[in-house]
Amino acid sequence: MNEIIRSLYNRKSVRVFEERPISDEYKKEILLAAMEAPTAGNQQLYTILDITDQNLKDKLAVSCDNQPFIAKAPMVLIFCADILKWMDAFKEGGSDPRKPGCGDLLLAIDDALIAAQNAVTAAESLGIGSCYIGDIMEQCELHREMLNLPEYVFPAAMLVLGYPTKKQKERIKPKRCRLEDIVQENYYRRRDGEELRRMFDKETENRSFEEWSQAFCNRKYNSDFSREMSRSVQEYLKEYVN
């Protein structure tokens, strides 16, 4: 296993950081690495917001499901799927671009998330931990105002970064599914009950599948924040379907 692959295996989310800043040099390296990510047609369909205002970090810590560690992170990045800059560029050049559709949005989200993962990998190589914050997709109206997001700009992901504490470094990474649970050859095949129970047996060592499944469904899928995320994303989608 080479160094890069080992880093991918070892990387885990970090939510507690040492009280030391990330140098400007390292921040620039992380951002430049993000920009080297694969991108559709070399369009770089994203804009990265580097959140340096502590007051704004404090607000995001509240608006993103009350997670105080966001405010304490020395580096906070928001990866926005950005179609607007291309619409503006087309019009600046005298073109008459069509109205963006859902496919354009998904392509821009792909670009933004690939760039974000490049940033995660680059940070890990520098000893800097990270955590994705999907909650930035919630609270559409609030975040639009807070971040000055116009139409056709969607906050696809937020990353908080910093040096992990000793306890965070030693924390055991949650188990992933087995290869055969995730990879199917050529065609999609729906899994039966026995396969699903085997897939998630890493979660059911000390409780039944039913207990784990119902608790997880209530805590995640049926949660208030999950419902709010769907509502908020639907609001963003109105720009593309109307």
Side-chain angles (χ1 to χ4, degrees):
M1 185 183 294
N2 66 38
E3 187 176 343
I4 293 175
I5 294 177
R6 185 179 298 108
S7 173
L8 294 173
Y9 271 68
N10 291 337
R11 187 268 167 192
K12 55 182 177 283
S13 295
V14 173
R15 296 178 176 84
V16 185
F17 307 105
E18 292 183 352
E19 293 185 7
R20 61 164 162 152
I22 295 172
S23 69
D24 290 341
E25 177 187 0
Y26 276 7
K27 175 183 276 193
K28 186 176 181 180
E29 283 192 40
I30 292 168
L31 290 169
L32 287 174
M35 292 168 58
E36 289 296 326
T39 169
N42 199 29
Q43 296 175 85
Q44 294 182 281
L45 289 159
Y46 54 84
T47 290
I48 304 170
L49 303 182
D50 178 15
I51 308 300
T52 59
D53 184 333
Q54 186 58 52
N55 183 52
L56 189 50
K57 285 184 185 181
D58 293 341
K59 290 180 179 179
L60 287 166
V62 175
S63 65
C64 292
D65 275 350
N66 295 302
Q67 301 185 82
F69 74 93
I70 294 172
K72 298 177 181 178
M75 186 172 176
V76 176
L77 303 176
I78 299 175
F79 289 77
C80 297
D82 184 2
I83 301 170
L84 179 63
K85 67 179 181 181
W86 277 99
M87 299 295 290
D88 288 343
F90 290 145
K91 292 174 183 177
E92 179 68 19
S95 298
D96 183 21
R98 60 175 172 78
K99 186 179 184 296
C102 291
D104 301 299
L105 173 61
L106 290 179
L107 193 65
I109 291 172
D110 284 347
D111 258 22
L113 295 181
I114 295 168
Q117 187 58 25
N118 255 34
V120 165
T121 304
E124 191 74 14
S125 75
L126 298 170
I128 296 170
S130 60
C131 183
Y132 277 103
I133 308 293
D135 307 288
I136 194 64
M137 292 188 289
E138 299 174 32
Q139 308 289 345
C140 169
E141 298 81 2
L142 177 61
H143 286 146
R144 272 180 163 166
E145 181 180 357
M146 191 185 301
L147 301 170
N148 192 34
L149 301 178
E151 63 177 1
Y152 307 132
V153 178
F154 172 69
M158 183 161 73
L159 272 182
V160 295
L161 304 103
Y163 292 98
T165 61
K166 183 175 183 292
K167 189 173 182 179
Q168 287 284 293
K169 289 178 182 177
E170 295 173 348
R171 183 173 56 84
I172 297 174
K173 181 176 180 175
K175 291 181 181 178
R176 299 304 198 244
C177 293
R178 290 174 288 261
L179 185 68
E180 59 267 27
D181 294 326
I182 300 298
V183 179
Q184 297 184 351
E185 188 170 357
N186 294 324
Y187 308 104
Y188 185 88
R189 181 180 57 78
R190 191 172 184 178
R191 297 160 178 83
D192 62 27
E194 183 179 344
E195 289 174 307
L196 291 170
R197 288 171 183 270
R198 186 172 63 248
M199 178 188 295
F200 296 111
D201 60 11
K202 61 186 176 64
E203 308 290 351
T204 58
E205 294 176 355
N206 300 311
R207 53 183 167 173
S208 70
F209 179 83
E210 287 77 11
E211 288 175 319
W212 165 78
S213 177
Q214 291 171 29
F216 194 83
C217 181
N218 290 331
R219 183 168 63 89
K220 287 285 188 180
Y221 192 76
N222 284 343
S223 66
D224 289 342
F225 79 81
S226 184
R227 295 175 191 275
E228 163 55 25
M229 187 177 292
S230 289
R231 183 209 67 81
S232 185
V233 171
Q234 187 65 44
E235 190 65 29
Y236 284 110
L237 283 171
K238 287 180 180 178
E239 299 167 357
Y240 301 89
V241 297
N242 290 338

